[in-house]
Amino acid sequence: MDLNTLRHSASHILAAAVQELYPGARLGIGPAIEDGFYYDFDIPNVTLTSEDLPRIEEKMREIVKKNEPFERQELKKEEALKLFEKENEKFKVELIKDIPDEKVSIYKTGKFTDLCRGPHIGSTGEIKAFKLLTVAGAYWRGVESNPMLTRIYGTAFPTEEELKTHITKLEEALKRDHRKLGRELDLFNIYHEEAGPGLVYYHPRGARLRLLIEDFLRKEHLLRGYQFVMIPHIARGSLWNTSGHSGYYRENMYYLEIDKQEYVLKPMNCPGHILIYKNKLHSYRDLPVRFFELGTVYRYERSGVLHGLLRVRGFTQDDAHIFCTPEQLQEEISKVIDFAFEMLKTFGFEWEVDLSTRPEKYAGAEENWKHATDALVEALKQKGIEYKVDEGAGVFYGPKIDVKMKDALGRPWQGPTIQVDFNLPERFDLNYIAEDGSKKRPVMIHRVVLGSMERFLGALIENYGGAFPLWIAPVQVMILPIADRHAAYAQTVADQLLSQDIRVETDNRREKINLKIREAQMQKIPYMLIVGDKEEQQKAVAVRSRSEGDLGISDLNTFLEKLKKECYNKSG
C-alpha cells in the first residue's frame, strides 16, 4: 500500500470526523505530507486545542470501523460548484474556480464528500494505525491577508508497530527541540515583544557557543587560502538592480530611504564581495581569489513561517565567493565539496546530496546554465557521490549542490550549498587578464560550508540534544564547592583551569551538593569538579562526568591532560 495514499485517505477521515463533531466546520485542504498528513478547517466560534484531539480520534475510529468505501465521481465544473456552494464550502468553491479543466473529481465516504483528485484506498477499514499529533494555525493558501484556519496534523502507518516507532521518534525529537533547549540551557531568545519576531538574541552561553564555531571556521578558511573581507549591511538600490536581486528576489528584501535615495538592507553578501574584487585589476596568476565573510543578511519571512533558529529574518552565513578561471572551476568545486564534508563530519553529522537545477524564473543564458550544471555534475561523479536531482530548486543566478545534514535521529537539515554562477560576473562586467594579455570573464562560485549559523546551531542543538561535545561546550567544567569554606580552593582550581583556556564556572550557592550536581547535569555540563575538605587537603578534585558518572579523585594536572586530549580529538 502506498504510504501517501494511506495518509491522504486518513486526512479525509479526519475531515469527516471534524464535520460530524462540529457541524458548520468548513473544509480547506488535507494533503499527505512527509511523515503524515494535515487538514485545514474553518470552525466558527470554536477554538480547538490538543485536548480535543482524543475526541476527534475516537470519532475517526468509529468511521474506520464502519469500513465505508471511498467512492470516486466525476462532475462537470458547474455541478461541482453548485454542490459545494449548497454546502457553504467557500474554500472548495474557490479551488474549483481555479481548476482549468471542465470536469473535476470528488470522493464520497459515507455522508462525507470532498473535492479531491485522489487516489484513495479502497475503504476506511484499511487504515490500521493512525494518530493525531498537534493543532496549529495556518493562513488559507499561506497568504497572511487570508483567513486564519485551524490545522490538525496527524500521521498514519500500515501497522501499529510502525506507528509506535514513529511516535517514539517524535517524542525524542520533542526532547531535543532547539527552542525548548535554548530556554532550558539559557542559550538564546528568539522573540522580544519590543523588537519583533524572527530576530535572535544570543545569551552569554549561546554567544560563546557560536563564537567557538566561528573561530574554528576562521582557522579552517585560513588554512585553505581564503581571504577575510567585511562589507556594510546596506547598499544603494541600484546595486541590487545590477545584481538582479531587485527583479528576482524583491519580495524578500527590506527597502529603506536615505537622503531621498533607495537603499537595501542586504539579503545576500555576493554583490559586496564582487565590488571588492572589482576594486583592482586581476591577473590570471592571482586566481582563484577566495573571499570569506561571516556575513549577516536580512530577508523578509512571513510571521507564519518563522520557526526558532531555523527560519528567521536576520541571520549570519559562513559565506564565501570564489573567483576563478573556467579551467580552475572543476578543482575549486571539488575542494569546496571536501571542505564541506570535512566540516559536517567534525560536527558529528552525516549527509545526503541534492543537485538543484534551473528554476522557472532565472537570469542569464541557458548555455551558461548548462555549463554550470555540467560542472557540478562532473564534480559529484568524479568523487563518486550519490545525489538526487531537485528540479527547479536552483537560485535565479545559478544551479547548486545542496547538502542536507542528517542528525542523530536521521532528520535532514539544510546545510552547505555550492553554486556555480556565470551570470553575476557578466552583470558586473568582471574581468581578469589572461596569459595572452586579453581580458577574460571569471567564473564565480558561491558557497557556504555550514550554511546559516542560526540554522546550523538549531541543527547542532538537536543533533546532540544540547549535550555538546567538550570542544564546543559553552561551559566545559562546573566547579562545585561542598560548603562555603571550600569557595577559596574552588576559585584556585578555577583560576588554574582558566589559565589553560578551559571554560569554567563555579556554583557557589549555599545549596546541598546533590542539588548542585543534579542541576549541572541538567545543564548538560561535560565535567563537574566537586571540592571539599579531602580534595583541598590533597590539592585534588573529585571528577564527575556528564556521560560516565563518578570518575573518582584526580590531581588537577592529570585532569587537564584528559581535557586537552578530548578537545584535540574533538570528542567528549
Side-chain angles (χ1 to χ4, degrees):
M1 181 185 297
D2 178 68
L3 203 51
N4 282 334
T5 302
L6 175 72
R7 288 170 173 167
H8 182 48
S9 301
S11 79
H12 273 234
I13 294 172
L14 165 61
V18 168
Q19 286 202 321
E20 278 196 47
L21 291 170
Y22 305 95
R26 289 177 290 197
L27 305 174
I29 59 171
I33 57 174
E34 186 178 3
D35 292 336
F37 60 87
Y38 69 77
Y39 213 111
D40 290 341
F41 304 94
D42 177 23
I43 312 177
N45 305 315
V46 175
T47 302
L48 291 182
T49 69
S50 57
E51 294 178 359
D52 297 301
L53 297 184
R55 180 172 175 241
I56 299 171
E57 267 189 21
E58 187 55 40
K59 180 58 69 174
M60 290 175 69
R61 294 187 204 289
E62 290 177 17
I63 296 171
V64 167
K65 193 174 181 180
K66 291 178 183 177
N67 196 26
E68 295 172 324
F70 282 91
E71 297 177 331
R72 186 178 190 274
Q73 292 182 18
E74 277 196 359
L75 300 177
K76 290 181 179 178
K77 195 169 177 179
E78 296 81 2
E79 293 177 310
L81 281 170
K82 287 179 182 178
L83 173 65
F84 287 99
E85 282 171 350
K86 182 181 176 182
E87 297 298 325
N88 197 28
E89 293 286 2
K90 65 176 184 179
F91 301 112
K92 296 296 182 182
V93 169
E94 183 179 325
L95 292 173
I96 293 168
K97 287 179 178 178
D98 289 344
I99 294 173
D101 303 326
E102 289 303 313
K103 288 187 176 181
V104 298
S105 60
I106 63 170
Y107 276 84
K108 289 188 174 183
T109 315
K111 296 178 182 179
F112 177 73
T113 301
D114 202 354
L115 174 74
C116 185
R117 286 178 299 182
H120 283 285
I121 56 178
S123 66
T124 62
E126 294 179 31
I127 295 179
K128 305 298 183 184
F130 66 89
K131 185 172 181 59
L132 300 183
L133 302 171
T134 57
V135 178
Y139 292 108
W140 170 237
R141 292 188 154 184
V143 178
E144 287 185 29
S145 57
N146 284 343
M148 173 69 78
L149 305 182
T150 298
R151 177 171 292 179
I152 299 177
Y153 286 97
T155 192
F157 286 88
T159 66
E160 285 289 346
E161 185 178 353
E162 289 170 285
L163 176 62
K164 186 177 179 181
T165 299
H166 181 72
I167 296 303
T168 300
K169 185 176 176 180
L170 290 179
E171 289 170 350
E172 180 60 29
L174 189 61
K175 293 177 190 173
R176 292 168 176 260
D177 190 314
H178 73 280
R179 295 166 298 178
K180 172 176 173 285
L181 290 171
R183 290 190 302 271
E184 292 175 357
L185 304 181
D186 196 23
L187 299 176
F188 59 84
N189 190 325
I190 51 176
Y191 182 73
H192 283 286
E193 180 65 36
E194 300 90 334
L199 304 167
V200 185
Y201 290 79
Y202 291 95
H203 297 189
R205 287 185 180 181
R208 188 181 297 170
L209 171 64
R210 176 168 159 171
L211 287 170
L212 288 164
I213 294 169
E214 289 181 352
D215 287 346
F216 173 68
L217 277 172
R218 289 186 182 96
K219 290 175 184 176
E220 292 298 319
H221 279 83
L222 282 173
L223 289 172
R224 290 167 174 80
Y226 286 82
Q227 303 174 71
F228 295 172
V229 296
M230 297 177 72
I231 62 173
H233 287 231
I234 62 172
R236 281 183 175 146
S238 56
L239 178 69
W240 307 97
N241 295 337
T242 302
S243 71
H245 287 89
S246 297
Y248 293 91
Y249 205 71
R250 190 177 185 91
E251 68 273 11
N252 296 100
M253 295 162 62
Y254 293 101
Y255 284 82
L256 314 168
E257 185 177 307
I258 302 173
D259 295 335
K260 297 184 179 180
Q261 292 189 43
E262 185 179 71
Y263 277 74
V264 171
L265 197 55
K266 63 170 176 158
M268 296 182 186
N269 299 301
C270 33
H273 292 188
I274 287 171
L275 294 182
I276 295 174
Y277 177 87
K278 285 191 72 172
N279 196 53
K280 68 175 185 179
L281 188 64
H282 292 273
S283 161
Y284 72 94
R285 292 189 178 90
D286 303 328
L287 273 53
V289 171
R290 307 182 186 100
F291 289 152
F292 170 71
E293 178 181 14
L294 283 158
T296 301
V297 296
Y298 304 89
R299 301 177 187 174
Y300 172 66
E301 300 282 2
R302 296 191 306 272
S303 297
V305 301
L306 297 174
H307 181 79
L309 295 177
L310 308 184
R311 188 67 74 92
V312 292
R313 289 174 172 165
F315 57 93
T316 301
Q317 297 174 302
D318 61 323
D319 210 358
H321 295 92
I322 301 168
F323 303 87
C324 64
T325 69
E327 294 76 21
Q328 294 167 333
L329 178 60
Q330 210 68 56
E331 183 181 358
E332 289 302 306
I333 296 171
S334 181
K335 286 179 179 178
V336 174
I337 291 172
D338 289 342
F339 190 5
F341 287 179
E342 187 177 331
M343 291 301 97
L344 295 188
K345 186 177 179 181
T346 299
F347 286 102
F349 290 100
E350 295 182 350
W351 54 83
E352 57 188 32
V353 177
D354 288 346
L355 176 69
S356 299
T357 60
R358 190 180 71 223
E360 186 176 332
K361 193 177 180 183
Y362 66 94
E366 286 191 25
E367 180 184 352
N368 285 340
W369 273 86
K370 184 179 185 307
H371 191 173
T373 305
D374 289 346
L376 293 172
V377 169
E378 184 60 28
L380 292 170
K381 285 183 176 178
Q382 284 183 6
K383 292 186 171 295
I385 297 169
E386 292 185 6
Y387 65 91
K388 295 182 297 183
V389 176
D390 192 356
E391 293 287 354
V395 289
F396 74 86
Y397 49 78
K400 58 178 177 168
I401 292 171
D402 278 319
V403 182
K404 304 291 190 349
M405 308 177 288
K406 296 178 73 174
D407 68 11
L409 299 180
R411 298 170 300 176
W413 305 75
Q414 178 60 54
T417 63
I418 306 162
Q419 305 163 5
V420 173
D421 181 5
F422 288 85
N423 180 56
L424 289 184
E426 189 77 33
R427 282 176 171 266
F428 282 93
D429 191 26
L430 301 187
N431 297 290
Y432 67 92
I433 303 303
E435 191 170 3
D436 63 4
S438 64
K439 279 188 176 183
K440 290 193 175 180
R441 190 81 73 204
V443 186
M444 191 172 172
I445 300 173
H446 308 244
R447 49 105 295 194
V448 292
V449 294
L450 294 183
S452 151
M453 292 301 297
E454 281 69 19
R455 182 182 291 133
F456 179 76
L457 287 173
L460 192 74
I461 291 166
E462 298 206 12
N463 186 43
Y464 289 110
F468 304 110
L470 183 71
W471 73 283
I472 53 170
V475 180
Q476 296 171 308
V477 177
M478 181 70 78
I479 301 174
L480 308 175
I482 293 175
D484 284 353
R485 65 180 180 275
H486 306 121
Y489 179 60
Q491 187 59 51
T492 299
V493 172
D495 289 343
Q496 287 182 258
L497 293 173
L498 287 167
S499 71
Q500 296 296 311
D501 294 327
I502 302 300
R503 298 182 291 279
V504 59
E505 290 183 6
T506 304
D507 186 347
N508 281 317
R509 294 176 302 159
R510 291 181 175 179
E511 299 286 357
K512 291 182 179 180
I513 192 64
N514 286 341
L515 175 67
K516 291 183 179 182
I517 292 171
R518 185 164 65 252
E519 291 191 359
Q521 192 77 28
M522 289 174 64
Q523 287 292 302
K524 304 182 187 295
I525 308 297
Y527 286 101
M528 292 147 266
L529 300 185
I530 302 159
V531 293
D533 292 334
K534 181 167 60 173
E535 289 77 22
E536 186 169 3
Q537 290 165 7
Q538 297 179 17
K539 302 300 179 188
V541 290
V543 182
R544 184 175 184 83
S545 163
R546 174 182 65 198
S547 56
E548 300 175 78
D550 186 7
L551 299 182
I553 292 181
S554 170
D555 69 86
L556 201 53
N557 286 334
T558 302
F559 176 66
L560 265 169
E561 286 304 312
K562 174 180 172 63
L563 291 184
K564 289 179 178 179
K565 184 177 180 180
E566 280 190 30
C567 287
Y568 179 80
N569 293 328
K570 295 184 171 53
S571 60

